[in-house]
Amino acid sequence: MINMTSMTILPEDDQPVSGEQQMGHGLKKASLSVVIPNYNHARYLPEALQAILNQSCRPTEIIIIDDCSTDNSVEVIESFMRQEPIIRLYRNEQNKGVIFSLNRGLSLASGDYVYFGAADDRVYPRLFEKSMDLLARYPEAGLCSALLQLIGPNGEDKGWIRTPVISQNACFLPPKKVIAELLSHGFWFTGQTIVYRRDAILNDTDGFLEELAYRTDHFVDYVVAAKYGACFIPEVLATYRILASGYAETVFDDEGLSRRTFSGLLELMRSPRYAPLFPESFVSVLRYRGWYDLEVRTQRRIFQSEIDFIERLKALQPKATLLDKAFFFLLKMMTVIGSMIAKIYLWHRRVNWDFRWLAMKVKTRFSDHGRRGSTDKN
């Protein structure tokens, strides 16, 4: 059960904050840089850029790193630049990949805080306002995150990503509480919603590491949150678009890469530089749960492979006899039942059985439907 008294809970504050306005406690509003790597996302760039420009709290600068796009991305970006002087375009001389572009954008950013956007996703109107307001109240925090919605190629709603809901109110968790909540409920940071304190990344991490591939931002999240603490907003404030050609989709199912990068992440946590942030007990639990999580993915691939095998057998019998049909039915039932048993076992091994927390999570999921609906209308 989450101990709400150990967190700093904030009242709901729906007052908009303009780009020139002074924020709470008489402090001047901190500056925010947005960094967007782009490669051949001309189709989605207008939507992504307009969503950022429509924010109730505008960024100081929008830095776009184009990675040698072969479509009309540059033309789209330049059309926005003619209307919006806060947009700056940088082009890689060679195709270097998204991680190189993230690091280049970070080196060019000048804001107190930085948000790394995706050229094919979009943010909801008040992500920056709510994040910057919470970070202004807790300037010691290293980052702020929220909940994330999945959308399809054409923007169709796919539901929100089922990350842990660590609080039903906006809150700040100090470093020790961050470690405790990660142990209790797992990783809750969603990259498309995170606003980072820029100096925390520059001073306390090695930036985004190529060798960690799609886990590189996960490691930055772990380090920054464990060092400085983290803010959390229990609202869906950004989207993640599922594309077959997307970076995550093209590497996520690479079993060998998944295992190598997870091992690399654990090794870094145990290295002299980062070990003071991560107790061995924490790393051991992360290792235990992480390997079971990898086996969940393997089990999914096995199940799909077996179903595909059955369908190929069926195709060989265009005039299936009663015996053929009975065999196919039993084979499929055995596959489905075996998969279900494996899922239950693996799920049991990789999660914390805290039924009070699960009840809170279910409640939040139901209430989120209404919240997401109202957000869509904004």
Side-chain angles (χ1 to χ4, degrees):
M1 180 65 175
I2 296 177
N3 182 4
M4 306 297 272
T5 61
S6 64
M7 299 181 188
T8 306
I9 304 299
L10 302 173
E12 179 68 20
D13 182 3
D14 287 327
Q15 295 303 313
V17 181
S18 69
E20 303 299 326
Q21 186 177 352
Q22 301 292 314
M23 294 186 67
H25 312 295
L27 298 176
K28 187 176 181 180
K29 183 180 182 296
S31 56
L32 172 65
S33 298
V34 171
V35 173
I36 303 177
N38 174 71
Y39 177 68
N40 285 350
H41 281 309
R43 174 185 174 186
Y44 299 112
L45 267 168
E47 184 180 2
L49 288 173
Q50 198 60 57
I52 290 171
L53 293 167
N54 288 344
Q55 288 289 296
S56 54
C57 175
R58 267 193 157 203
T60 307
E61 60 185 359
I62 301 173
I63 298 169
I64 304 175
I65 310 295
D66 186 76
D67 199 23
C68 297
S69 292
T70 57
D71 63 3
N72 65 322
S73 287
V74 171
E75 179 183 339
V76 171
I77 297 165
E78 288 177 341
S79 69
F80 273 84
M81 290 173 65
R82 286 191 286 271
Q83 303 296 322
E84 298 289 345
I86 64 171
I87 299 176
R88 305 206 313 267
L89 171 64
Y90 298 85
R91 303 179 70 180
N92 294 336
E93 293 182 1
Q94 300 176 12
N95 183 270
K96 295 283 191 176
V98 65
I99 296 176
F100 175 91
S101 296
L102 287 173
N103 285 318
R104 186 180 182 193
L106 176 62
S107 70
L108 293 166
S110 61
D112 301 304
Y113 293 88
V114 60
Y115 170 81
F116 297 96
D120 55 341
D121 296 329
R122 67 170 184 262
V123 295
Y124 286 141
R126 299 183 65 191
L127 170 65
F128 295 165
E129 175 193 330
K130 293 192 175 190
S131 300
M132 295 297 284
D133 179 62
L134 195 52
L135 289 165
R137 300 186 194 196
Y138 295 94
E140 67 269 36
L143 61 82
C144 183
S145 68
L147 303 178
L148 184 65
Q149 180 186 358
L150 289 170
I151 59 175
N154 299 313
E156 55 270 32
D157 184 4
K158 299 290 185 179
W160 62 276
I161 293 180
R162 305 308 185 186
T163 47
V165 180
I166 58 171
S167 171
Q168 294 193 59
N169 300 95
C171 66
F172 167 70
L173 288 75
K176 287 185 178 179
K177 189 60 181 174
V178 166
I179 293 295
E181 292 299 330
L182 286 169
L183 282 172
S184 295
H185 307 306
F187 193 83
W188 70 82
F189 306 108
T190 52
Q192 288 81 355
T193 71
I194 297 178
V195 174
Y196 296 93
R197 218 174 78 195
R198 186 172 63 93
D199 67 343
I201 302 179
L202 293 174
N203 298 336
D204 297 282
T205 77
D206 294 304
F208 297 98
L209 300 172
E210 294 274 0
E211 59 266 31
L212 292 183
Y214 67 90
R215 296 184 196 273
T216 188
D217 57 332
H218 295 186
F219 186 67
V220 169
D221 299 343
Y222 276 123
V223 172
V224 171
K227 179 69 179 288
Y228 295 102
C231 292
F232 173 71
I233 303 171
E235 297 181 48
V236 177
L237 293 176
T239 67
Y240 169 63
R241 195 183 303 269
I242 305 172
L243 296 174
S245 60
Y247 174 73
E249 284 74 17
T250 56
V251 300
F252 198 71
D253 285 334
D254 186 329
E255 187 172 351
L257 179 65
S258 295
R259 295 178 185 277
R260 288 194 303 274
T261 55
F262 184 61
S263 294
L265 185 147
L266 296 175
E267 289 175 9
L268 279 169
M269 285 185 170
R270 287 171 167 149
S271 66
R273 178 173 185 182
Y274 298 110
L277 295 175
F278 304 108
E280 180 55 34
S281 58
F282 172 83
V283 181
S284 296
V285 171
L286 182 64
R287 175 184 178 277
Y288 176 83
R289 292 179 181 168
W291 283 120
Y292 273 106
D293 188 60
L294 287 170
E295 294 306 331
V296 168
R297 299 182 206 171
T298 300
Q299 190 272 339
R300 289 173 185 161
R301 285 191 287 270
I302 292 172
F303 174 72
Q304 187 58 52
S305 176
E306 290 177 344
I307 293 297
D308 291 343
F309 166 70
I310 294 171
E311 293 303 316
R312 288 196 301 273
L313 284 183
K314 285 184 178 180
L316 296 175
Q317 295 289 344
K319 296 182 179 180
T321 66
L322 185 60
L323 177 62
D324 293 329
K325 293 179 180 179
F327 172 75
F328 295 142
F329 175 78
L330 290 173
L331 193 59
K332 187 170 185 177
M333 287 302 99
M334 290 171 60
T335 300
V336 171
I337 292 170
S339 175
M340 289 177 60
I341 293 172
K343 282 183 179 179
I344 292 170
Y345 169 76
L346 293 169
W347 189 80
H348 164 69
R349 285 296 185 185
R350 71 189 177 107
V351 301
N352 174 39
W353 287 86
D354 186 334
F355 290 103
R356 290 173 297 179
W357 173 73
L358 288 172
M360 186 195 78
K361 189 172 182 179
V362 170
K363 179 181 177 181
T364 306
R365 287 181 181 179
F366 279 110
S367 64
D368 175 63
H369 286 293
R371 189 164 56 233
R372 188 173 67 230
S374 63
T375 306
D376 288 340
K377 296 176 183 178
N378 289 340

